[in-house]
Amino acid sequence: MLKDKIKAAFNEPACPTNRAKAAKERAKGCAKPLTPGAAAGGCAFDGAKISLQPITDAAHLVHGPLACEGNSWDNRGSGSSGPDIWRRSFTTDLTELDIVTGQGEKKLYKAIREISQRFKPAAVFVYSTCVTALIGDDIDAVCKHASSKYGLPVIPVHSPGFAGSKNLGNKLAGNALLDHVIGTHEPDDVGPTDVVILGEFNLSGEFWMVKPLLDRLGIRVRTCVPGDARYLDVAAAHTANVTMVVCSTALIGLARRMEERWGIPYFEGSFYGITDTSESLRRLAAMLVERGAPADLIERTEALIAAEEARAWARLEPFRDRLAGKRVLLNTGGVKSWSIVAALMELGMEFVGTSVKKSTVEDKMRVQILMREEAHAFEGMAPRDLYAQLKSGGADIMLSGGRTQFIALKARVPWLDINQERIHPYAGYDGTVELVRQIAISLGNPVWDEVRTPAPWDNEGRLTDRHVSHFTMDDDSDAADPTFAARHRRKFANSRVDNTDPEYLAHHRKKFAGRDADDIGDD
């Protein structure tokens, strides 16, 4: 059964990469052999947890050894505006004895019972792991029985780590939502401007920088999956009128099947960069009007875009002189990298290269048009090549994820995290301004001048003459500084010690003896 689900996930007809293949190649699916030694990147279990755990009012129970939960718990900085049960670590903590004696299913049932009675979550997601999938625990049967017994949704998620990559886990999580969640709740407040956002993780709370724009237009986000989502809202996603897919590599299959099952049209958009944020708002408004929303929505959207773009460019103007001509190396994996490229190029920055590994065919074409040279777009770059380019001065700053930060730091080049571990939100108009501000801060940080200064010791560890003379000169300059006494008078002016106390003055004369500055307090 798992094998069939994996095959179906890989043969996604809405995937542009699949559409570009011949029929024979498409039939083989997208499975790729793993690269020996390539342990980084996450497994299917990791991908499923990433895609579902930000559903904030649900409990997420890992059926397996304790270490599996620790592996993927909260490894992204998704934000919640309310419930916090999703941040707890629930696991059945299987041991070798449980596996040998066949206690896995009993422990799973008891864990669901305790969670439902103690925490009363809106739902419980149960994740299989490599261990429980190999020993054959029937989590479907346990979840169904527990759901009936305790009166709450208990959703099995079949995503053992050995099934494949993190991206496959994203797709399997989408399958679980479609099979067990979406369409199970009928809300009583359905409206013509309801939309669903898929593949938005609300990292560092950045969707909260976009949602106010939609609220001002009267566009209601029925649910944003998975960032800051509530279970019942996800269950009612089938009542929306338009689906916007932000991360197509993760949940494009879910969007396509929602269109097939409930007739909800979808499109791929981005909230990164000024131009692409505006384009996404226009697209949402136009599709909603086609589906019955008020016709003036388009006019109001254009007015909002004009006002927000003017405000954003006015805030970006002070950075233009500081950033113009700076060279950027973008190594993000490629998802929506063209949005960032377009935004920074409008400020006069130059791109020496950008990765397009996860980009769609349309994304790659946009990058080529923007950069005008195909050679600047690369599928992937080995760490040693990245280091060589940075070390040779090929770029002034690298924008990437945390995994490659030490390459830039070793090359003594400024680096900015723009992947999932980032702590600053970069979505929407305000997010673009924040991104540019963070780039300017990184480039202007004085630490780079310090770390690029030659070490003050030779190959045998002895201080160099230049360094010794530097300290000698500094010491002399302090002693000769005519403002030395004045500065220390100000320093101790508000001291609780009375600076007219003869003992106090005597102590400090002794402290600064020999430095030609023992006149503290002698007015």
Side-chain angles (χ1 to χ4, degrees):
M1 185 174 64
L2 179 60
K3 185 177 179 180
D4 294 337
K5 288 186 176 181
I6 293 173
K7 184 177 180 180
F10 274 137
N11 290 329
E12 174 55 56
C15 171
T17 304
N18 267 346
R19 289 201 303 266
K21 293 178 179 177
K24 185 178 179 180
E25 292 298 317
R26 195 181 308 126
K28 295 180 181 178
C30 299
K32 294 180 181 178
L34 298 177
T35 303
C43 62
F45 165 72
D46 187 25
K49 281 293 292 293
I50 287 171
S51 298
L52 297 177
Q53 183 148 348
I55 299 175
T56 59
D57 57 351
H60 300 268
L61 172 61
V62 175
H63 184 36
L66 178 65
C68 291
E69 170 61 6
N71 180 52
S72 292
W73 181 79
D74 200 20
N75 59 1
R76 292 190 171 203
S78 298
S80 170
S81 59
D84 63 356
I85 189 172
W86 66 294
R87 300 186 71 88
R88 293 177 178 267
S89 295
F90 296 111
T91 172
T92 50
D93 187 20
L94 285 191
T95 64
E96 184 181 19
L97 187 62
D98 296 324
I99 297 168
V100 172
T101 59
Q103 296 297 309
E105 293 177 356
K106 290 183 180 177
K107 290 196 74 171
L108 174 59
Y109 181 78
K110 290 179 181 177
I112 297 172
R113 180 180 64 192
E114 182 175 352
I115 291 170
S116 65
Q117 293 176 346
R118 183 175 175 184
F119 297 98
K120 303 186 186 314
V124 180
F125 286 88
V126 176
Y127 300 83
S128 67
T129 60
C130 294
V131 171
T132 51
L134 286 171
I135 65 178
D137 278 1
D138 190 350
I139 68 171
D140 284 319
V142 176
C143 291
K144 184 177 180 181
H145 179 67
S147 178
S148 174
K149 180 75 175 179
Y150 300 110
L152 83 166
V154 183
I155 298 98
V157 183
H158 294 279
S159 57
F162 64 73
S165 66
K166 181 173 69 176
N167 182 246
L168 173 63
N170 299 150
K171 300 176 190 300
L172 295 176
N175 288 348
L177 291 180
L178 194 72
D179 294 341
H180 301 284
V181 182
I182 298 175
T184 60
H185 175 64
E186 295 296 337
D188 56 5
D189 58 348
V190 176
T193 58
D194 291 357
V195 300
V196 170
I197 310 292
L198 294 182
E200 168 54 61
F201 296 87
N202 196 32
L203 301 176
S204 304
E206 64 183 12
F207 186 64
W208 296 332
M209 305 186 82
V210 175
K211 190 173 181 300
L213 301 174
L214 302 175
D215 291 342
R216 287 163 63 184
L217 293 172
I219 297 175
R220 181 171 59 181
V221 180
R222 169 60 67 182
T223 184
C224 173
V225 179
D228 197 16
R230 306 292 187 271
Y231 180 80
L232 281 182
D233 292 336
V234 179
H238 64 292
T239 62
N241 287 298
V242 173
T243 299
M244 175 178 171
V245 185
V246 176
C247 182
S248 61
T249 56
L251 294 173
I252 187 71
L254 176 59
R256 178 185 60 80
R257 281 176 288 171
M258 287 177 65
E259 183 177 43
E260 289 179 353
R261 189 174 296 186
W262 294 291
I264 307 172
Y266 70 91
F267 73 101
E268 294 181 52
S270 169
F271 289 123
Y272 292 117
I274 293 174
T275 303
D276 296 304
T277 299
S278 299
E279 184 57 31
S280 295
L281 293 177
R282 286 193 183 97
R283 193 81 182 273
L284 272 175
M287 294 178 71
L288 284 172
V289 169
E290 290 176 1
R291 302 269 294 173
D296 69 334
L297 177 60
I298 294 178
E299 183 180 344
R300 289 189 289 111
T301 301
E302 290 297 336
L304 176 73
I305 289 172
E308 288 295 323
E309 285 194 354
R311 190 173 70 91
W313 284 116
R315 296 175 64 194
L316 288 172
E317 195 58 33
F319 297 101
R320 187 179 293 278
D321 291 341
R322 295 164 61 183
L323 299 182
K326 298 294 184 183
R327 297 161 301 166
V328 181
L329 178 60
L330 188 59
N331 187 34
T332 65
V335 178
K336 307 304 180 191
S337 56
W338 50 273
S339 297
I340 298 172
V341 171
L344 299 186
M345 287 183 73
E346 289 186 56
L347 285 174
M349 301 188 76
E350 299 175 6
F351 276 83
V352 298
T354 180
S355 57
V356 293
K357 185 177 181 180
K358 297 180 182 177
S359 298
T360 63
V361 175
E362 290 81 3
D363 288 349
K364 292 178 182 177
M365 291 179 64
R366 290 187 182 104
V367 168
Q368 290 179 19
I369 293 171
L370 286 168
M371 302 180 72
R372 296 183 178 84
E373 293 183 39
E374 186 178 356
H376 285 174
F378 54 89
E379 287 288 330
M381 191 178 289
R384 63 177 178 275
D385 297 328
L386 276 176
Y387 176 75
Q389 184 169 8
L390 295 173
K391 187 65 176 177
S392 64
D396 296 307
I397 188 172
M398 182 168 80
L399 311 183
S400 71
R403 290 173 188 161
T404 53
Q405 66 172 305
F406 297 105
I407 298 173
L409 299 181
K410 185 179 179 181
R412 301 171 188 177
V413 170
W415 166 82
L416 184 65
D417 187 357
I418 60 170
N419 270 13
Q420 62 266 18
E421 301 92 353
R422 61 182 175 268
I423 59 174
H424 300 285
Y426 297 142
Y429 301 108
D430 291 341
T432 303
V433 175
E434 180 62 24
L435 171 63
V436 171
R437 193 175 77 88
Q438 291 300 323
I439 291 174
I441 290 174
S442 296
L443 283 169
N445 194 321
V447 73
W448 301 114
D449 290 335
E450 294 293 330
V451 299
R452 289 165 182 161
T453 302
W457 55 79
D458 58 21
N459 292 335
E460 296 179 357
R462 294 177 302 221
L463 287 177
T464 60
D465 293 340
R466 185 191 61 77
H467 184 70
V468 172
S469 63
H470 171 74
F471 276 102
T472 303
M473 181 184 69
D474 286 350
D475 191 53
D476 291 343
S477 64
D478 273 351
D481 183 2
T483 65
F484 179 88
R487 283 191 289 109
H488 282 269
R489 282 196 186 94
R490 288 196 299 270
K491 179 178 179 181
F492 292 100
N494 297 321
S495 171
R496 64 184 177 85
V497 180
D498 182 0
N499 61 5
T500 61
D501 184 350
E503 292 184 4
Y504 171 82
L505 295 175
H507 168 74
H508 282 273
R509 285 196 182 96
K510 183 177 180 181
K511 180 178 178 181
F512 294 101
R515 302 189 68 178
D516 295 330
D518 61 346
D519 61 341
I520 296 174
D522 288 344
D523 292 322

